[in-house]
Amino acid sequence: MGDLAITADGLAKRYRIGEFQASYGTLRDSLVGAVKRIGRRDHSARHHEEIWALDGVSFELAEGEVLGLIGGNGAGKSTLLRILTRITAPTRGSAEIRGRVGSLLEVGTGFHPELTGRENIYLNGAILGMKRREISAKLGEIVEFSGVERFIDTPVKRYSSGMYVRLAFSVAAHLEPEILLVDEVLAVGDAEFQRRCLGRMESLGESGRTVIFVSHNMQAVAQLCDRAILLEQGKVVLDGDSGDVVARYLQSGLGSGSNRVWPDDASAPGDDLVRLRWARVVDEHGGLLDAVDVRRPVGLQIAFRVLRAGVPVMPKLKLVDKRGDVAFNAFDTSPRWRQPSASGEYVATAWIPGNLLNEGLYSADVAVCSIAAPKLHQHFQERAAVAFHVQDPGEGDSARGTFTGQWRGVLRPLLEWTVETR
Amino acid sequence: MAAEFNRVAAGEAGQPASARSSGLDRVIRIRPATRWPRLDLRELWHYHELLGIFVWRDLAVRYKQASIGIVWAIFQPLLIAVVYTVIFGRFAKFDSGGVYYGVFVFAGLLPWQYFSSSLSTGAGCLVANANLVTKVYFPRVLLPVATIVTPIVDLVLGFVVLLGMMAWFDEWPGGPQIVLAPAFLLLAAVTVLGLVLGLSAINVRYRDVAYAIPVFMQVLPLLSGVPFTLGALPAHWQWILACNPMTTVIAGWRWAVLDTPAPDAGQAGLSVAVALVLLAAGLAYFRSSEPRFADNI
């Protein structure tokens, strides 16, 4: 193991929930509160509840290591990253970072709509910690990489959102820190953009940079990181090889496993018309499935509750491969969804035939929509609601035949070949 | 699949690892926030370019949005000067220390405008830049400092107009005290920096500040002696007003450039002391609450 780049020792962060809500509090509220406390002679009495967003996190990261941070919402990933980037201070514990740190918590931080693309490159670059000399030297490269050369002297408020993100990412991609801390940047942008992000992260890792990468994208973590830490309720639950940690996480059903339940109707994805109940991956007999045989059909099942009758709704499925590309989108086109749906609970299962998908991890975004022509209204869309792994047992009867090497492609259909011998 | 992917990525964005510029190559220690303010000058120096960028951004945006930004910068004090000249100079016949009243009041308005525009934008600077505060690290003190640097441009423009007025009305500096003119402007900068540091930090927690400032801005020009000379007031009132450093700034600046009566040395000393206390208190409060900005904003 080389020199340590990051040492974290018992990092903890406490938030007062009351403080969150009172963030727009007025001076009057505070004064009244203070007077009341004095009146009661009870200084310790506090209305707000305390939560430990991070609770004693320790780890060491060697120079050149690429670490993935995973965990469910509220597990403390972002809080840990915010502490390491010095945006906020820990309540307890300490950390040491050796090297020039670059952080990327969003793309386009500080972009100003009135300024031109070129001006924003300087602004954003400086905010991310680049020197002006450095930016000037790389300006041509940044502009070229962004692909918005023609509009570089146009205010970015006239950019399409795609151009905006490309330019912002291009600046970030030319950061050259020794240690890079990256949050869920990949959650924005189209598949092409996400692929570029991943590619950039990969080349950073290979060039010996130390990287901490927070993501909900398990495939990306497994692919890019040597090591992963699983956080749960502010604590390190698992620290080890990224493949193992990701696998354990998926099995635990905390993240996008093959079985997700939203027990609380009020917080489940949805609106006043439709609420998601659960989503799962099943085999032909209705049994739960994590790993799918490439040759067998797989069923994606969602249960949702229609709270109010009278609106035709229909379920929709979007399957995303491990690179973030959309493999396909599909509605249930059955005529039953053209009638106004009665209220009640529905379970819809989409069957993906065997010998269609290639090997690898797929995640499914599930949605329930209604069409108010020409618009599509999504009552909810749960990204990566469930995930499953397609595997080939290698018995020679999939499209790969008896070949055992890598087999590229989003799909792996078993085609019908006709052959004539002449 | 992965191998080819890597190659593409490296070709697009790969850089030699050696091409790193020397940065803040030291160990960063992260510890719980203390109540004690710290002033890390070495770090501030490391970020001095970013300060320039913030100032440049504010100027660029302002002059882009308002196509005749320069004219607006001068128009406001000019309009106030005209109104004051008619009401206070012509009708109320305020004492202007022997100088043409229009020049007298315009000269006083320059440091006042600097103070007021720095303070109004400065107090909200952290909240206005909340997206930066919550997403990236830099010494937060750069934001308030940038907001008191930006209006210097208006001050310079106003000064050019003042020179024109002085030439037109044939009012000239009285003597060697002209060299002290920048010192009085520095006093204004120190005063407003202290206030901006303190108020911008308070504004993170209590948005009342944004509402309170315009109220004070209505009465403060009168309490700072913009339309009159301090000598026109009873002595004990002069001492009370001297607690507001802007009275010394305005009186001293006018003395330096227009040879109006000099401010009393004792009162000037009091103003300087108040300004320094404001700066120290503002900086201390800012630095000690800085680690919690991102949580509270």
Side-chain angles (χ1 to χ4, degrees):
Chain A
M1 204 186 255
D3 292 336
L4 290 177
I6 299 180
T7 329
D9 185 18
L11 287 177
K13 176 80 183 175
R14 178 186 57 207
Y15 283 111
R16 298 205 180 101
I17 296 179
E19 208 167 61
F20 263 94
Q21 289 160 344
S23 59
Y24 290 95
T26 63
L27 195 56
R28 194 194 65 189
D29 295 342
S30 286
L31 290 177
V32 169
V35 169
K36 275 184 184 163
R37 276 200 296 280
I38 293 166
R40 271 190 273 113
R41 294 260 162 227
D42 183 6
H43 295 267
S44 63
R46 285 193 174 141
H47 292 291
H48 25 244
E49 213 179 309
E50 289 180 347
I51 50 160
W52 288 90
L54 213 56
D55 194 0
V57 168
S58 305
F59 65 91
E60 288 179 340
L61 195 63
E63 222 167 74
E65 244 186 317
V66 181
L67 174 75
L69 273 183
I70 60 177
N73 288 326
K77 309 180 297 286
S78 296
T79 305
L80 178 54
L81 212 58
R82 279 156 65 100
I83 289 174
L84 292 177
T85 51
R86 290 187 291 164
I87 288 167
T88 184
T91 311
R92 285 208 297 257
S94 63
E96 280 191 3
I97 301 180
R98 294 171 197 84
R100 188 184 179 207
V101 180
S103 66
L104 212 49
L105 268 57
E106 70 178 358
V107 288
T109 305
F111 258 47
H112 198 291
E114 296 289 341
L115 299 179
T116 67
R118 188 191 307 276
E119 288 165 338
N120 269 305
I121 292 176
Y122 278 95
L123 176 59
N124 184 232
I127 286 169
L128 294 177
M130 288 160 94
K131 295 277 166 204
R132 195 162 41 192
R133 209 164 4 95
E134 212 177 328
I135 304 171
S136 296
K138 289 183 191 159
L139 188 68
E141 222 179 307
I142 293 176
V143 173
E144 200 195 317
F145 187 69
S146 71
V148 298
E149 290 98 330
R150 283 178 52 212
F151 306 98
I152 202 64
D153 290 312
T154 306
V156 299
K157 66 179 175 187
R158 308 210 193 287
Y159 280 30
S160 71
S161 58
M163 284 160 64
Y164 185 96
V165 167
R166 279 207 304 278
L167 181 66
F169 175 69
S170 184
V171 181
H174 288 81
L175 261 181
E176 290 188 11
E178 289 155 348
I179 300 173
L180 184 65
L181 308 170
V182 192
D183 198 359
E184 212 63 84
V185 179
L186 304 166
V188 298
D190 53 14
E192 166 61 23
F193 170 71
Q194 299 195 1
R195 189 159 49 240
R196 277 182 160 198
C197 285
L198 288 174
R200 178 67 191 144
M201 298 276 311
E202 207 156 5
S203 64
L204 269 178
E206 280 163 7
S207 65
R209 309 290 161 81
T210 312
V211 181
I212 294 190
F213 175 44
V214 168
S215 184
H216 283 110
N217 184 338
M218 291 307 124
Q219 296 94 333
V221 171
Q223 185 188 345
L224 296 177
C225 306
D226 320 316
R227 186 177 141 196
I229 285 181
L230 171 59
L231 289 176
E232 208 177 293
Q233 294 182 342
K235 294 192 173 75
V236 175
V237 187
L238 217 55
D239 179 351
D241 174 78
S242 62
D244 298 344
V245 175
V246 165
R248 273 279 299 280
Y249 176 60
L250 291 179
Q251 280 160 17
S252 72
L254 281 167
S256 308
S258 59
N259 184 15
R260 284 272 291 281
V261 180
W262 287 265
D264 177 21
D265 228 23
S267 62
D271 57 10
D272 59 340
L273 186 66
V274 184
R275 289 277 171 184
L276 181 59
R277 300 272 292 153
W278 48 260
R280 55 174 72 138
V281 183
V282 294
D283 63 13
E284 295 132 288
H285 314 292
L288 279 175
L289 218 53
D290 276 322
V292 181
D293 187 321
V294 73
R295 302 163 298 179
R296 311 296 317 162
V298 53
L300 294 177
Q301 228 168 31
I302 63 167
F304 56 93
R305 202 203 300 269
V306 174
L307 305 170
R308 173 152 66 68
V311 180
V313 296
M314 62 182 147
K316 178 176 163 288
L317 167 72
K318 184 200 273 181
L319 203 69
V320 179
D321 77 355
K322 68 176 166 197
R323 279 155 64 167
D325 281 333
V326 178
F328 61 77
N329 267 298
F331 273 127
D332 179 0
T333 53
S334 140
R336 81 174 340 265
W337 302 116
R338 283 179 213 148
Q339 261 76 72
S341 318
S343 55
E345 193 168 319
Y346 294 79
V347 177
T349 310
W351 290 102
I352 302 169
N355 282 313
L356 176 67
L357 300 175
N358 201 352
E359 277 180 291
L361 205 46
Y362 288 84
S363 64
D365 300 356
V366 299
V368 169
C369 312
S370 53
I371 296 177
K375 280 192 184 152
L376 181 68
H377 178 69
Q378 306 203 107
H379 297 285
F380 65 81
Q381 187 192 24
E382 181 64 9
R383 289 183 59 138
V386 283
F388 58 93
H389 212 111
V390 179
Q391 289 171 334
D392 188 344
E395 288 166 18
D397 52 353
S398 78
R400 185 164 69 173
T402 52
F403 176 66
T404 53
Q406 269 200 355
W407 200 253
R408 305 175 43 138
V410 179
L411 303 179
R412 189 192 289 187
L414 194 59
L415 303 178
E416 190 175 323
W417 294 68
T418 56
V419 181
E420 296 164 47
T421 43
R422 296 243 156 110
Chain B
M1 175 163 62
E4 188 197 89
F5 186 33
N6 291 353
R7 205 167 55 240
V8 171
E12 278 174 347
Q15 294 136 2
S18 59
R20 289 170 198 153
S21 69
S22 61
L24 199 61
D25 292 326
R26 56 172 175 163
V27 178
I28 298 165
R29 292 196 172 78
I30 295 167
R31 305 227 177 294
T34 57
R35 282 278 170 193
W36 296 106
R38 64 191 174 86
L39 191 62
D40 190 339
L41 290 174
R42 191 181 149 182
E43 186 188 40
L44 287 182
W45 175 248
H46 177 77
Y47 281 95
H48 72 277
E49 249 183 30
L50 187 56
L51 175 65
I53 290 274
F54 283 146
V55 171
W56 164 79
R57 174 192 67 175
D58 292 345
L59 287 173
V61 168
R62 201 170 110 202
Y63 286 108
K64 244 171 227 205
Q65 284 169 333
S67 47
I68 44 171
I70 296 177
V71 176
W72 284 114
I74 295 165
F75 183 68
Q76 197 193 355
L78 221 45
L79 179 67
I80 300 174
V82 168
V83 172
Y84 278 20
T85 305
V86 172
I87 294 174
F88 297 133
R90 181 135 312 168
F91 299 139
K93 303 224 185 304
F94 276 18
D95 175 28
S96 60
V99 177
Y100 175 69
Y101 192 82
V103 180
F104 169 85
V105 85
F106 188 79
L109 277 167
L110 289 184
W112 168 255
Q113 287 285 323
Y114 166 73
F115 174 84
S116 117
S117 64
S118 296
L119 190 58
S120 343
T121 50
C125 67
L126 292 173
V127 173
N129 288 287
N131 62 328
L132 295 184
V133 172
T134 55
K135 292 294 181 196
V136 70
Y137 175 79
F138 56 88
R140 309 310 188 194
V141 79
L142 296 183
L143 289 171
V145 170
T147 58
I148 72 148
V149 172
T150 310
I152 290 176
V153 174
D154 293 349
L155 185 61
V156 170
L157 291 172
F159 187 65
V160 171
V161 175
L162 177 65
L163 286 178
M165 288 173 78
M166 286 161 67
W168 181 262
F169 292 103
D170 200 23
E171 301 283 0
W172 296 106
Q177 75 258 34
I178 185 72
V179 300
L180 287 175
F184 290 106
L185 295 181
L186 182 67
L187 178 61
V190 168
T191 308
V192 79
L193 180 59
L195 286 169
V196 163
L197 284 169
L199 291 174
S200 62
I202 294 172
N203 195 37
V204 169
R205 286 298 292 273
Y206 306 108
R207 301 290 152 94
D208 301 56
V209 174
Y211 299 101
I213 284 176
V215 178
F216 289 100
M217 285 303 162
Q218 302 298 318
V219 292
L220 270 176
L222 298 173
L223 295 179
S224 305
V226 172
F228 55 86
T229 53
L230 277 184
L233 298 175
H236 66 281
W237 277 102
Q238 292 179 26
W239 280 95
I240 291 171
L241 287 188
C243 293
N244 166 10
M246 285 309 289
T247 50
T248 294
V249 169
I250 289 166
W253 160 260
R254 272 201 292 234
W255 166 62
V257 297
L258 292 176
D259 200 24
T260 54
D264 177 82
Q267 290 165 10
L270 173 61
S271 287
V272 170
V274 170
L276 291 177
V277 168
L278 278 175
L279 179 62
L283 188 61
Y285 181 72
F286 189 93
R287 277 298 198 173
S288 66
S289 52
E290 186 174 352
R292 281 171 292 276
F293 285 161
D295 299 335
N296 291 330
I297 209 159

